[in-house]
Amino acid sequence: MRVALDFWPLFAQWHLLLVGAAWTLGLTAIATILGSVIGVACAWARAKGPRPLALVTAAYVEVIRNTPFIVQLFFIFFGLPAAGVKLTPLTASILAMTINLGAYATEIIRAGIISTPRGQIEAGESLALSRVQVFTHVILPPALKRVWPALVSQIIIVMLGSAVCGQISMEELSHAANLIQSRNFRAFEAYIVATVIYLGLAIAVRRLLNWVGPRFVFGR
């Protein structure tokens, strides 16, 4: 069976793809910042915090890691209104992506923390550093350096998972592709273009984070 490809109807609505790609990057950027903060805090709680806090954090991680992202998103957007909490598609998308990334980042960063040599921690304590200073200056930077590739991969996965947010009318890239194909019935071409854009975004974000990490997060 021959397929006659015609991309011109898509490029006539290129602005929708551009806006969709921008929303995808925006959602990813916000979720990355907030999710990483949650990941660091929860990783500390699991590795160094008091036992009750470690148990609560462990429960959060297990619940999120063992349930589909789309279910988490639907619970936030469709389920919370039953409890009187109504969120916009944008807020629900950010919240779902942040919570999801936070859980995975917790385990990734915790792996870096617990692999810190004991002698390195004792060296910091011998300099009369406080527990907070030891964690932020001695433990955390090398821990992030060790797990940075895994954390970057998880951020890429969350970015690609943002395609699900189109199901609640978030105007990200997959939503734009779906809207275009519904107007011109060029589904094959629409999703080919969306796939290429997602591939380009993933490569660009990975390279950006690999550049940012050594310079602004954990040092060379």
Side-chain angles (χ1 to χ4, degrees):
M1 184 178 69
R2 295 183 60 185
V3 178
L5 297 177
D6 182 6
F7 289 94
W8 288 113
L10 262 70
F11 295 131
Q13 303 183 67
W14 61 271
H15 61 284
L16 293 177
L17 294 170
L18 187 63
V19 171
W23 273 119
T24 295
L25 286 175
L27 289 172
T28 303
I30 296 172
T32 296
I33 295 171
L34 299 179
S36 297
V37 172
I38 291 174
V40 170
C42 291
W44 172 84
R46 291 208 67 184
K48 304 290 182 182
R51 183 166 176 74
L53 187 58
L55 291 175
V56 171
T57 306
Y60 155 64
V61 170
E62 290 303 315
V63 168
I64 297 301
R65 293 179 69 195
N66 292 291
T67 53
F69 175 66
I70 192 170
V71 173
Q72 298 162 17
L73 179 67
F74 282 2
F75 176 79
I76 291 171
F77 189 70
F78 296 116
L80 288 184
V85 181
K86 295 183 179 180
L87 301 174
T88 64
L90 174 61
T91 306
S93 299
I94 292 173
L95 188 59
M97 291 173 66
T98 298
I99 292 173
N100 186 274
L101 178 59
Y104 283 93
T106 295
E107 287 305 278
I108 293 171
I109 297 171
R110 186 172 75 94
I113 291 175
I114 62 178
S115 65
T116 302
R118 181 62 193 167
Q120 192 172 324
I121 299 173
E122 292 174 347
E125 292 172 343
S126 68
L127 296 173
L129 297 178
S130 66
R131 291 184 63 184
V132 174
Q133 289 174 319
V134 168
F135 181 75
T136 55
H137 296 291
V138 177
I139 298 176
L140 188 57
L144 287 175
K145 185 177 183 178
R146 283 190 290 272
V147 302
W148 193 248
L151 190 58
V152 169
S153 294
Q154 189 59 46
I155 291 170
I156 299 298
I157 290 172
V158 170
M159 183 189 75
L160 299 179
S162 70
V164 174
C165 298
Q167 298 296 315
I168 60 170
S169 300
M170 184 62 219
E171 297 177 356
E172 44 71 54
L173 182 55
S174 69
H175 182 274
N178 191 46
L179 180 62
I180 291 173
Q181 70 87 21
S182 69
R183 290 177 176 176
N184 55 29
F185 305 105
R186 289 289 177 182
F188 199 63
E189 293 90 335
Y191 290 113
I192 286 178
V193 172
T195 299
V196 171
I197 296 176
Y198 272 120
L199 178 62
L201 292 180
I203 294 173
V205 169
R206 185 183 300 278
R207 289 189 175 184
L208 176 64
L209 291 175
N210 285 336
W211 181 82
V212 167
R215 289 166 178 79
F216 302 107
V217 179
F218 49 78
R220 294 180 182 277

